[in-house]
Amino acid sequence: MKCDWCGYEATEEQGDVYWELPDGTRAIEITSTPGIVCKGCHMAYQTDEVTKAIEDQLFLIDTKELPKSITYKELMERPRLLKRNYFDFTS
């Protein structure tokens, strides 16, 4: 796998990220989040797919009940208020 930033060798790893909620009221920590870490430039980032999954899930669940810290798996297993993001016109 190649780093999207510098092209050097990168690996898939899990890490902690901080995400602002869609309503802008606060940020939460999402632990054990799938990501990419570059061995050259040491950039750590999430793929577009993971980013979209997190953003969609945060838009579709009741974020008022989220703790300050949650695992990626726990976040994705939260029950949705809507079946899908009807405001996403990219698909």
Side-chain angles (χ1 to χ4, degrees):
M1 165 175 287
K2 299 285 183 192
C3 175
D4 288 343
W5 297 92
C6 73
Y8 199 78
E9 183 181 345
T11 57
E12 292 183 23
E13 296 183 19
Q14 293 184 351
D16 301 339
V17 297
Y18 297 88
W19 222 272
E20 184 177 354
L21 298 181
D23 62 6
T25 56
R26 63 189 175 109
I28 60 168
E29 177 185 39
I30 307 170
T31 61
S32 302
T33 304
I36 309 295
V37 178
C38 178
K39 293 181 179 182
C41 69
H42 306 288
M43 176 66 81
Y45 59 95
Q46 281 63 53
T47 63
D48 291 341
E49 294 80 15
V50 170
T51 299
K52 181 169 178 16
I54 292 171
E55 300 224 341
D56 282 349
Q57 185 70 349
L58 288 173
F59 188 74
L60 297 172
I61 64 173
D62 183 2
T63 58
K64 292 180 185 92
E65 296 182 11
L66 284 176
K68 292 180 180 181
S69 182
I70 189 169
T71 68
Y72 177 80
K73 183 179 182 211
E74 290 170 335
L75 175 67
M76 297 319 232
E77 291 174 348
R78 288 273 177 146
R80 293 179 170 192
L81 301 174
L82 298 171
K83 291 182 183 179
R84 68 179 191 92
N85 184 351
Y86 294 100
F87 300 101
D88 179 8
F89 302 108
T90 60
S91 343

